[in-house]
Amino acid sequence: QVQFVESGGGLVQPGGSLKLSCVASGFSISRYAMAWYRQAAGEERDVVATIYTAGDATNYADSVRGRVTIFRDNAKNMVYLQMNNLQPEDTAVYYCNARNWVNSQFMAAFAWGQGTQVTISS
């Protein structure tokens, strides 16, 4: 049974930093691209950052590029998201998932975990 447990969220002031962690179980993350997504209230869930299996190449949404770093520890089956210079528009629930190609779409591979709430406010 595949599960994701995200942690590390919280309330921080604008300009602050957070490091999110995700422990995956039921599969080996070393075989998948892994990603962090976020969903703000009333909006769709969007991908924020992806780390691929080949050489740990990464890709970021324009809205976070330069402020966040995704990295993985295959031995621990964990994925992390270091977020710096956080802004109110980063407020959302953050989720991790594997990504897989399905019918020419690069999409979330498994059911979602509970996510971790990130709130940026002064």
Side-chain angles (χ1 to χ4, degrees), residues 23-75:
V23 56
S25 58
F27 75 106
S28 174
I29 71 166
S30 65
R31 303 180 66 177
Y32 288 83
M34 296 297 297
W36 282 94
Y37 298 74
R38 69 185 181 187
Q39 186 170 21
E43 299 187 10
E44 294 186 352
R45 185 156 29 205
D46 292 324
V47 62
V48 172
T50 303
I51 183 165
Y52 299 91
T53 56
D56 283 351
T58 56
N59 190 48
Y60 298 96
D62 289 343
S63 58
V64 301
R65 186 174 290 114
R67 300 188 296 119
V68 308
T69 303
I70 185 172
F71 53 105
R72 62 198 295 163
D73 186 334
N74 289 341

Side-chain angles (χ1 to χ4, degrees), residues 38-116:
R38 69 185 181 187
Q39 186 170 21
E43 299 187 10
E44 294 186 352
R45 185 156 29 205
D46 292 324
V47 62
V48 172
T50 303
I51 183 165
Y52 299 91
T53 56
D56 283 351
T58 56
N59 190 48
Y60 298 96
D62 289 343
S63 58
V64 301
R65 186 174 290 114
R67 300 188 296 119
V68 308
T69 303
I70 185 172
F71 53 105
R72 62 198 295 163
D73 186 334
N74 289 341
K76 295 182 178 180
N77 229 40
M78 293 187 69
V79 186
Y80 304 91
L81 189 70
Q82 176 65 48
M83 303 191 295
N84 300 320
N85 191 23
L86 286 160
Q87 301 300 316
E89 54 265 33
D90 295 315
T91 296
V93 180
Y94 285 71
Y95 303 86
C96 70
N97 209 319
R99 296 188 77 180
N100 211 9
W101 286 101
V102 178
N103 296 330
S104 301
Q105 289 192 337
F106 198 34
M107 57 194 298
F110 301 109
W112 300 99
Q114 294 298 308
T116 186

